Amino acid sequence: MKMTLSISHQDPRKRRNALADYVKFGEAPDFSLYPEFCDELDDDYEHCRSLAIKLVLLMSHKYGDCLVFQKGTSEQVRLEDDAFSKICRMINDPAVQVRIEAAKSISQFRSVSISYLLATLDKKDELNHSGTFVFGCEDERKDVRLASLESLCQCAKNNSKFAERCIDHIVDMFNDEIEGIRLKAIQCLQEIDNAVLREDQVEVILTVLDSPSMDIREASHRMIANVNISSPRSLRRCIESILYNLSRYPQDKLSIFSCFKSLGQNNAEFVASLVNELLAVHPYLKLPEQSLIDENYMATLILIFNAAYKNPSILSTLESHTFQHQTYIRHTLPNFMPHIEAPKSQQASAIFFVSIFERLGKMLKSDCIHRSKLSLMEMSLQDLKSFGMVEPEFRASTEFYRIVIESILIISRLLSTPGWLESSGSLKMIRRVLEQTFTLLRRYHKLSPIQRCCVQQLRVQALAIELVIFINSCNSSALDLCDDFLEEVRNLESFLSDQPFLDSIALGSLAAKMLDELSELDLPKPGTVARRLEPLFCKTPTILNQINETLTLLIDSQDVDDLQCMKTSSATFSNSLDRSDITHKFTAGLVLALTLDAMIDNITDTDDIRLKVVYPDRLAHIIVPVKSHFRLISTDSRSETSTFRLYTSLNICHTTWSEPGMVHVSIILDYRDNPATSMQIDDDDQIRSSEASQIIEISPSISLKVHPQNTRWLS
């Protein structure tokens, strides 16, 4: 009762505190307080009015279907409709904060009558809630306009009939003077499901493609890709405008390719009617082939073949050389071009892929001498490399198996070499295997449990061999190596415990013996562990057959669907920075900023992405890109990975050079625990650190010709 009395207190601070207490309580008060909260909407104090809006909204959530009398009449309406009408009226409040609160609250009504909702789009009706969104979107303050636009979008997503009527108002906001509001309007239109644009609306939204802001342009591309076009003529205008946009802003290439991919799939029937016009096909004359250097032509092919993926009848209208161009684009830009070859061709590819392993599996299980098995494994490496180059769907899996076979070959050769226990060269060989197995576990995605288990076994075996060699050939402490080995053993045991019956299927005899030996140790010190493991690796040729078991397990468990699902993280540079004919000159000690544009495929997140810059003095700088410079392009639900575009500034800085030198830039995955920002690289381009195997190169290196000079040298 005390709080109730405070609402009508003459001191505005008392009223504000009482209303704030009701808001903090979080639950709707008694129904009898609704008229008093409504009266507070006319309070002289703006803070009280703002709090009253929240309380009226809260009451509507609990008592929405109760009937109340409209003020000054004997007519009864639902409380939620009455509350909605009263809050809509507050959009014309003189206080900015009250208007913002009213705009935000409108979209939070759960089941307001559709007649009340539609009236907010029309100023002609003489009702409290008439034209609410019109007034809000025309407000002089940008915060009110933004809140109104967000609320309008939310209401449209909740009600399809309202969504049809509000598109005009959202499109009108494309002409707002504030860039943030224009961007929000684009995003709102993209979020509305099944939005169909008329020709006049299409003309309005195409104007934003000329915006100097990359964020606006890319948001426009995503929006156009997701909305529904009402006619072939509108689609033609979209295609023309976007291709002109590509000519004017070449850096938007990837965003436009992604737009055309979705645009083709969503409007396949309309694209079918435009194919001859888009490809400039003459009904009687045979015209010259268009060039694949022309990015407009590549974008057009992406549009057409994605439409053909949904409407195969398009394929019958295409010329033979167009299919050859499609194959080229599918190999170079696999994320944008669908695979639409005949099923027979796909099946033949899968059969050939499987045949490689069937031949290898039979040899490994036979009684042939070990040298013959190694020879066949080397032949399989070449087959896998060639097959991956011509079949992009299997490129990740062929590379995965190629690395596994190569690692097994290294271990087999090492264990077959006399005196391998005391040779320092053996350490270099086995650390190559550690780098490769680390890459397989971190860079490759959608591995089956057996594939992951086999790679972990291979890594445990390599760590054990490294420890044994180090104990026998070096006088330094092996404590860190032993800790790394035991940690990897624990990871393998944990993985096996999480996968029922996996140990009986995928655990090789060598790994099983190693786990048994370690389980008998009470205090696993480096020397004790090495003495336990060393006899296991000295039983030739038994150990060589046990090493091959890993590959045999992989071959026996392979599945074509799993092979196609596998993805590998990779990156490519989109802009031409590596031009040897251009020397980038800058003042020594200052920063040379170059625009870097790269596409990063198949990564789970961007936290581990780094740029590595290697200078002629073999000093490497590790640069962490700004988080906001990553732009999401697409997501693959099968492999649970995403493709990002990195559009950032590459900063190069060094002391004075007497002549130009080459700087090498690459994109890496950095999994170090305490990553340094710089490191020294030896002559073999390997980082001088035990952390070297925790850095994975995922892009080809590009070379920049730079020349830091003193000020007096610059010309």
Side-chain angles (χ1 to χ4, degrees):
M1 177 64 70
K2 183 177 180 180
M3 290 175 61
T4 305
L5 293 176
S6 298
I7 294 176
S8 57
H9 199 281
Q10 63 180 0
D11 188 343
R13 293 171 296 180
K14 294 282 188 180
R15 299 197 301 272
R16 180 196 62 192
N17 293 338
L19 292 170
D21 289 340
Y22 278 119
V23 172
K24 289 179 182 178
F25 186 62
E27 295 183 6
D30 187 79
F31 177 76
S32 61
L33 291 176
Y34 176 71
E36 297 190 41
F37 291 154
C38 291
D39 291 339
E40 286 301 311
L41 293 174
D42 297 320
D43 196 283
D44 293 337
Y45 192 37
E46 66 179 73
H47 293 289
C48 292
R49 298 198 299 274
S50 183
L51 291 169
I53 290 175
K54 296 180 180 179
L55 289 171
V56 170
L57 176 64
L58 194 62
M59 296 287 281
S60 73
H61 290 167
K62 185 174 182 179
Y63 308 109
D65 291 328
C66 297
L67 297 179
V68 295
F69 287 100
Q70 283 191 320
K71 190 173 183 179
T73 68
S74 59
E75 182 182 354
Q76 286 185 317
V77 295
R78 294 172 62 247
L79 185 145
E80 184 166 7
D81 292 339
D82 184 68
F84 180 80
S85 179
K86 286 181 167 59
I87 291 181
C88 284
R89 174 174 58 85
M90 303 303 291
I91 202 69
N92 294 314
D93 193 274
V96 175
Q97 192 57 42
V98 175
R99 300 202 299 274
I100 293 175
E101 187 63 42
K104 291 180 178 179
S105 300
I106 293 173
S107 63
Q108 298 179 40
F109 285 89
R110 297 170 180 171
S111 57
V112 67
S113 300
I114 185 62
S115 60
Y116 279 72
L117 198 58
L118 293 177
T120 59
L121 301 175
D122 190 355
K123 293 191 291 187
K124 296 179 181 178
D125 297 331
E126 295 182 359
L127 301 170
N128 283 339
H129 50 279
S130 297
T132 301
F133 283 123
V134 179
F135 292 126
C137 292
E138 294 177 350
D139 197 279
E140 63 181 4
R141 299 299 294 267
K142 66 175 183 180
D143 294 336
V144 179
R145 300 201 300 277
L146 185 60
S148 299
L149 185 57
E150 291 175 344
S151 188
L152 178 63
C153 177
Q154 187 61 44
C155 290
K157 289 193 288 186
N158 296 336
N159 191 298
S160 58
K161 188 174 181 180
F162 181 79
E164 295 176 8
R165 302 279 189 90
C166 75
I167 291 179
D168 275 330
H169 298 275
I170 296 178
V171 171
D172 287 342
M173 299 302 291
F174 282 33
N175 297 318
D176 196 278
E177 60 184 6
I178 303 299
E179 179 180 317
I181 295 179
R182 296 198 300 272
L183 180 60
K184 186 62 183 179
I186 296 170
Q187 294 170 345
C188 288
L189 192 56
Q190 179 185 346
E191 293 172 8
I192 298 177
D193 295 332
N194 301 318
V196 181
L197 298 180
R198 302 189 310 270
E199 291 187 14
D200 60 312
Q201 293 170 339
V202 169
E203 292 297 330
V204 175
I205 67 173
L206 291 179
T207 59
V208 298
L209 291 175
D210 293 329
S211 172
S213 168
M214 177 180 288
D215 292 331
I216 293 286
R217 296 196 305 273
E218 291 193 347
S220 301
H221 300 154
R222 291 191 295 270
M223 180 266 296
I224 293 173
N226 291 323
V227 298
N228 294 319
I229 307 298
S230 61
S231 67
R233 180 179 175 181
S234 296
L235 178 62
R236 182 68 173 124
R237 282 287 298 121
C238 288
I239 296 171
E240 290 175 348
S241 298
I242 295 174
L243 290 179
Y244 174 74
N245 184 251
L246 177 58
S247 302
R248 187 174 179 184
Y249 301 102
Q251 64 268 32
D252 292 354
K253 175 178 65 176
L254 300 178
S255 176
I256 290 173
F257 286 171
S258 179
C259 171
F260 271 23
K261 175 183 177 180
S262 299
L263 197 63
Q265 294 184 3
N266 295 338
N267 301 275
E269 298 299 327
F270 292 160
V271 173
S273 65
L274 298 172
V275 170
N276 289 342
E277 184 180 354
L278 292 173
L279 294 178
V281 176
H282 196 278
Y284 307 114
L285 302 178
K286 185 174 180 61
L287 301 178
E289 295 181 16
Q290 299 189 54
S291 173
L292 282 170
I293 300 177
D294 184 358
E295 293 180 344
N296 283 18
Y297 176 59
M298 292 179 65
T300 302
L301 288 184
I302 290 172
L303 173 79
I304 291 173
F305 278 100
N306 277 282
Y309 184 72
K310 297 291 185 179
N311 184 6
S313 63
I314 295 176
L315 299 176
S316 61
T317 65
L318 302 179
E319 298 181 287
S320 58
H321 69 267
T322 309
F323 288 96
Q324 297 172 357
H325 294 172
Q326 183 260 353
T327 302
Y328 168 79
I329 297 176
R330 184 164 58 85
H331 286 188
T332 56
L333 299 169
N335 291 326
F336 302 115
M337 187 64 77
H339 188 88
I340 56 175
E341 291 180 0
K344 183 177 180 181
S345 175
Q346 286 186 349
Q347 186 178 7
S349 299
I351 291 173
F352 178 77
F353 192 22
V354 172
S355 68
I356 298 175
F357 297 106
E358 288 180 347
R359 183 176 69 247
L360 184 57
K362 290 178 181 178
M363 176 65 78
L364 293 175
K365 294 176 182 178
S366 68
D367 296 330
C368 296
I369 61 174
H370 189 67
R371 186 180 301 171
S372 299
K373 296 179 181 180
L374 293 182
S375 299
L376 185 58
M377 291 169 68
E378 291 175 348
M379 291 175 56
S380 300
L381 287 178
Q382 296 299 322
D383 290 342
L384 289 172
K385 184 177 180 180
S386 301
F387 183 76
M389 293 175 64
V390 298
E391 288 294 339
E393 289 78 13
F394 294 95
R395 187 170 297 164
S397 53
T398 54
E399 189 66 16
F400 173 85
Y401 279 96
R402 191 191 64 77
I403 294 176
V404 170
I405 294 174
E406 185 179 323
S407 299
I408 293 175
L409 282 172
I410 292 174
I411 295 178
S412 297
R413 292 195 185 102
L414 186 149
L415 297 179
S416 301
T417 303
W420 63 271
L421 275 172
E422 292 83 16
S423 172
S424 58
S426 299
L427 278 177
K428 186 175 181 180
M429 292 177 65
I430 203 64
R431 283 171 180 169
R432 171 64 179 162
V433 177
L434 292 176
E435 292 177 6
Q436 291 184 327
T437 53
F438 185 82
T439 298
L440 291 175
L441 293 173
R442 298 301 183 115
R443 187 178 178 184
Y444 289 80
H445 307 281
K446 205 60 177 179
L447 301 181
S448 68
I450 293 181
Q451 289 170 337
R452 183 169 291 277
C453 180
C454 289
V455 175
Q456 285 186 294
Q457 287 181 72
L458 195 60
R459 182 167 179 79
V460 168
Q461 294 164 10
L463 285 167
I465 294 172
E466 180 190 34
L467 179 61
V468 171
I469 295 173
F470 192 87
I471 290 292
N472 284 275
S473 62
C474 301
N475 296 323
S476 305
S477 172
L479 188 60
D480 290 339
L481 294 180
C482 186
D483 290 341
D484 291 342
F485 167 68
L486 295 175
E487 181 182 0
E488 201 64 43
V489 169
R490 287 191 291 270
N491 292 339
L492 176 60
E493 291 175 330
S494 176
F495 183 74
L496 291 172
S497 64
D498 293 338
Q499 304 286 335
F501 310 111
L502 186 62
D503 55 346
S504 62
I505 301 173
L507 190 64
S509 59
L510 177 59
K513 289 181 180 179
M514 292 171 62
L515 296 180
D516 291 340
E517 292 288 341
L518 293 173
S519 64
E520 298 176 2
L521 295 178
D522 296 329
L523 189 60
K525 293 183 178 180
T528 307
V529 173
R531 283 191 294 272
R532 284 276 189 169
L533 297 176
E534 184 177 330
L536 299 179
F537 296 102
C538 295
K539 298 177 181 178
T540 310
T542 303
I543 183 61
L544 300 179
N545 292 329
Q546 291 175 336
I547 293 293
N548 291 338
E549 282 182 9
T550 303
L551 183 56
T552 305
L553 290 170
L554 282 174
I555 292 173
D556 292 342
S557 64
Q558 67 178 345
D559 180 83
V560 174
D561 291 336
D562 290 340
L563 297 177
Q564 288 180 305
C565 288
M566 193 184 298
K567 301 291 183 182
T568 179
S569 300
S570 61
T572 55
F573 293 96
S574 303
N575 53 342
S576 302
L577 285 178
D578 54 342
R579 293 185 56 181
S580 59
D581 58 328
I582 297 179
T583 301
H584 302 279
K585 299 179 181 180
F586 63 100
T587 301
L590 299 183
V591 174
L592 170 66
L594 300 173
T595 300
L596 184 143
D597 191 0
M599 177 73 84
I600 306 174
D601 298 315
N602 305 316
I603 58 173
T604 52
D605 59 62
T606 59
D607 292 339
D608 300 312
I609 297 294
R610 303 287 186 270
L611 299 176
K612 186 177 80 170
V613 182
V614 182
Y615 293 94
D617 57 1
R618 314 307 295 158
L619 183 68
H621 286 179
I622 306 300
I623 302 173
V624 182
V626 179
K627 191 76 172 177
S628 60
H629 291 179
F630 290 94
R631 303 166 183 266
L632 179 63
I633 300 297
S634 62
T635 299
D636 185 351
S637 57
R638 294 182 69 187
S639 62
E640 300 175 352
T641 59
S642 300
T643 296
F644 290 86
R645 179 189 183 187
L646 175 60
Y647 192 83
T648 188
S649 178
L650 174 65
N651 296 327
I652 296 176
C653 182
H654 212 280
T655 54
T656 304
W657 297 352
S658 60
E659 59 184 22
M662 303 304 292
V663 172
H664 305 283
V665 182
S666 59
I667 299 176
I668 63 173
L669 293 172
D670 190 355
Y671 293 105
R672 295 173 299 161
D673 294 330
N674 299 301
T677 58
S678 62
M679 56 191 63
Q680 193 68 36
I681 295 182
D682 64 15
D683 294 335
D684 296 327
D685 200 31
Q686 297 296 319
I687 300 170
R688 296 180 187 268
S689 171
S690 59
E691 299 177 331
S693 60
Q694 296 177 325
I695 293 179
I696 302 173
E697 301 267 356
I698 62 172
S699 77
S701 176
I702 61 172
S703 300
L704 310 177
K705 193 174 184 181
V706 301
H707 191 186
Q709 301 174 323
N710 285 330
T711 307
R712 66 176 182 274
W713 292 354
L714 289 175
S715 58

